[in-house]
Amino acid sequence: MRWVSKLRILVVVLAIFLGALAIQAQDETILVVGHAENTDSLDPAHGYTQTTGIVNRATYNTLVTFPDADASEILPMLATEWTISEDGTEYTFTLRDDVTFASGNPLTAEDVVFSVERLQNVMGNPSFLAEGIESVVANEDGTVTFTLATPRPSFLAELTNYAFSITDSATIMENGGTAAEDAAETDTAEDYLNGTSAGTGPYILDGWEQDVETILVKNPNYWGEEPYFDRVIITNIPEAATQKIALEAGDIDLALDLSRDQTATMEGNENLIVYSGPGVQTHFLLMNEDPELGGPVSDPLVQKAIRYALDYEGYKALWGGVTPATNLTVGLAGAYGEDQALSRDLDMARELLAEAGYADGFEITLSYPDYSSQGVNMNTNAQKIQSDLAEIGITVTLNTQELQVSLEEYRNGLQGFGYWFWGPDVLDPVDVLSFLPGGKVAEERANWTTEGVDEEILALIDAASTETDPAARVEIFAQLQDYLKESSPFAPFINPAIQAASRADLQGFVFHPQWGVDVSILSLSE
């Protein structure tokens, strides 16, 4: 009898416990975001994808930031103010004195130094952003001074990137992290930071199962305004059509990657809000400069022929948006607009192919990931590229690859003829330097080095990264864009529009060109 009584008591206690959990779950505010995930890592020193940007925007802070809706100005974040030396090479930041990390540890100048030096030394995908920083020093008065190798007018804009998230040095070192010069070989904190976060943002990473879902919960030690939602679930829904179905069924609150034809059918639905606006991703073809990898597409005449062969109006009809003139993102200061983009000219394309010795065309393989981004299906575009180039005699075999496999090949410069898209690292025209000789994409991925490049172009590239006079910058970047239109191993063909939708009572959604969406500013109407 005693055991029966104990069992009854246990059942009662369990029922009370589950009931309490149910009440808690009912009271919890949850946001579910449907998104085509492409996360490589959530460690700020390693991750460098669109999804990483969304997550780390919520879990970390940077010294400075942009306004919620655009990139029109630089605003304080963890830094309250800053000074710049007369020669433009030293930036000194004063930190907020009321900030703690999620762990409860106070933010210090040493954490800033650790975060930047770890970014530099682990040699992760975003580490190149810290090149040109000669030193970062914690001063006795609690300020932090960055010393640059040369003046960089874009430096503050660069610091808004989540790669410069300020991390909790004590917590990371307790879990295998280091900022030492040999961090590339000795730092082991990435796995820890893929399971939780060590930042000062409004949320904490509560779990990440790659290509399934990411879960965020409120940071009880957040120094800023408390976010509305207790929990945010970013669920991986690769297909735009499936996102639309899930939103209409009420399974998700926000769909980030819809297509133009889908949002058109959602207009007028009183239960939904449809968003369409300018995007910042540029879809482009990469033609490897190494003849052993690129074959015929390593020839500048063939590269130019392919640029003339693409049906730019057709891509706009599919996705909306604008035709880019170059890989300098339309809308950034000094970027050419659509009026200066190339138009399709098949006669010119055939003439260039003949001049290159390919009057009868050739066969080539196009490699690209099986992936959709912001509603743009890369398979659809690849098939259209195949059709466009067939009109000038180029027979394209499509090589669809798993995302991470294709990304690895692309990043290691192994794709002879590839199809990719690019979102700017920095919301400044210097971003296009990645696509010029010696730049990250040009050299590492297309094998386009500075060897043999006209000295005048190399001088322009050097001047572009240091010139501070606004009028002079516009002129320099105009000349570089003219050069890219005439001679480059890239063929940019569409800047698609952003197509998203949410439930009608979700407030605050805006697409940001730096981090996509900031879930901490979303709420429900009461």
Side-chain angles (χ1 to χ4, degrees):
M1 289 297 290
R2 289 180 64 188
W3 284 106
V4 172
S5 297
K6 286 182 177 179
L7 181 60
R8 285 174 178 166
I9 292 170
L10 180 62
V11 169
V12 171
V13 169
L14 185 61
I16 293 171
F17 176 69
L18 291 175
L21 279 183
I23 292 170
Q24 182 181 5
Q26 288 171 3
D27 290 342
E28 192 176 48
T29 52
I30 301 175
L31 172 71
V32 182
V33 180
H35 172 55
E37 177 185 332
N38 62 345
T39 317
D40 54 354
S41 174
L42 295 175
D43 179 342
H46 283 279
Y48 203 53
T49 63
Q50 182 194 16
T51 312
T52 306
I54 295 172
V55 174
N56 286 4
R57 173 67 182 177
T59 53
Y60 293 90
N61 294 136
T62 47
L63 292 175
V64 293
T65 189
F66 290 123
D68 289 340
D70 56 39
S72 59
E73 60 179 324
I74 300 293
L75 300 175
M77 200 172 203
L78 292 180
T80 56
E81 58 183 3
W82 53 90
T83 60
I84 306 172
S85 64
E86 286 190 9
D87 67 358
T89 60
E90 286 192 358
Y91 289 67
T92 298
F93 296 87
T94 301
L95 304 181
R96 296 182 66 100
D97 59 6
D98 59 348
V99 177
T100 58
F101 290 98
S103 65
N105 293 333
L107 168 72
T108 67
E110 286 74 17
D111 291 308
V112 178
V113 174
F114 174 87
S115 303
V116 175
E117 291 185 342
R118 182 168 180 265
L119 173 64
Q120 289 177 311
N121 293 329
V122 297
M123 303 302 289
N125 283 318
S127 293
F128 74 97
L129 291 168
E131 292 174 358
I133 298 175
E134 285 198 333
S135 67
V136 53
V137 175
N139 303 313
E140 290 185 358
D141 63 357
T143 61
V144 182
T145 298
F146 289 70
T147 300
L148 310 182
T150 59
R152 267 158 73 173
S154 60
F155 185 60
L156 289 174
E158 293 171 38
L159 289 183
T160 66
N161 193 298
Y162 60 82
F164 287 102
S165 295
I166 306 307
T167 56
D168 182 344
S169 59
T171 297
I172 291 179
M173 286 191 287
E174 286 169 6
N175 290 279
T178 175
E181 290 184 1
D182 63 351
E185 293 79 35
T186 58
D187 183 282
T188 59
E190 183 179 5
D191 285 346
Y192 172 77
L193 292 171
N194 281 334
T196 188
S197 50
T200 58
Y203 286 97
I204 302 171
L205 175 64
D206 193 47
W208 171 45
E209 185 175 354
Q210 189 167 23
D211 297 333
V212 179
E213 68 177 12
T214 306
I215 300 174
L216 310 175
V217 296
K218 275 185 184 176
N219 174 4
N221 292 320
Y222 181 50
W223 56 275
E225 184 177 347
E226 182 180 354
Y228 179 88
F229 290 102
D230 297 310
R231 182 178 296 265
V232 177
I233 300 171
I234 303 172
T235 184
N236 180 36
I237 305 178
E239 297 298 327
T242 310
Q243 285 193 26
K244 177 177 182 287
I245 292 170
L247 180 64
E248 291 176 333
D251 296 331
I252 61 175
D253 302 305
L254 173 63
L256 292 179
D257 308 278
L258 299 174
S259 65
R260 189 183 190 190
D261 57 340
Q262 288 163 349
T263 53
T265 66
M266 301 164 85
E267 296 283 359
N269 184 335
E270 62 182 14
N271 296 316
L272 302 174
I273 297 174
V274 173
Y275 174 90
S276 180
V280 292
Q281 290 185 349
T282 299
H283 288 244
F284 66 96
L285 293 174
L286 177 150
M287 297 167 274
N288 206 303
E289 287 279 303
D290 182 343
E292 291 190 7
L293 293 168
V297 301
S298 64
D299 186 323
L301 289 171
V302 173
Q303 295 166 357
K304 192 173 180 180
I306 288 175
R307 281 193 287 275
Y308 275 110
L310 296 174
D311 173 22
Y312 298 104
E313 291 301 317
Y315 297 102
K316 279 177 59 180
L318 280 171
W319 313 114
V322 298
T323 302
T326 69
N327 287 82
L328 177 48
T329 306
V330 177
L332 295 184
Y336 279 174
E338 191 174 31
D339 57 330
Q340 289 164 296
L342 289 179
S343 298
R344 192 181 204 199
D345 187 336
L346 292 176
D347 290 337
M348 174 69 81
R350 294 188 185 102
E351 188 178 315
L352 288 163
L353 272 190
E355 188 179 347
Y358 297 103
D360 296 326
F362 55 84
E363 296 181 2
I364 194 158
T365 297
L366 177 67
S367 298
Y368 64 98
D370 181 11
Y371 184 66
S372 293
S373 176
Q374 296 178 351
V376 177
N377 187 299
M378 295 182 73
N379 283 297
T380 302
N381 277 342
Q383 290 164 18
K384 179 157 178 55
I385 291 163
Q386 183 184 48
S387 174
D388 289 352
L389 298 188
E391 293 190 55
I392 60 170
I394 299 176
T395 302
V396 176
T397 298
L398 301 182
N399 178 31
T400 314
Q401 300 172 298
E402 191 275 327
L403 174 61
Q404 295 302 328
V405 172
S406 196
L407 190 61
E408 189 74 9
E409 283 190 5
Y410 164 67
R411 285 176 168 171
N412 289 318
L414 298 176
Q415 292 184 337
F417 190 36
Y419 160 35
W420 284 93
F421 61 88
W422 172 267
D425 295 321
V426 184
L427 297 179
D428 184 278
V430 297
D431 186 74
V432 79
L433 298 182
S434 290
F435 289 85
L436 283 154
K440 185 174 182 64
V441 182
E443 184 159 320
E444 295 180 12
R445 298 165 189 179
N447 290 298
W448 194 23
T449 68
T450 56
E451 185 178 350
V453 176
D454 192 302
E455 289 296 327
E456 186 177 342
I457 296 299
L458 296 178
L460 279 172
I461 293 171
D462 284 343
S465 61
T466 58
E467 179 58 61
T468 57
D469 178 73
R473 294 189 90 206
V474 169
E475 176 57 30
I476 289 169
F477 284 106
Q479 293 182 58
L480 290 174
Q481 288 174 92
D482 290 339
Y483 174 66
L484 284 171
K485 287 174 65 176
E486 189 64 25
S487 177
S488 90
F490 306 108
F493 57 91
I494 185 68
N495 259 160
I498 296 292
Q499 311 286 344
S502 70
R503 49 188 280 186
D505 57 352
L506 186 68
Q507 298 177 323
F509 174 74
V510 60
F511 177 80
H512 196 281
Q514 179 73 69
W515 48 77
V517 57
D518 184 346
V519 295
S520 74
I521 64 173
L522 301 180
S523 64
L524 294 180
S525 59
E526 300 297 339

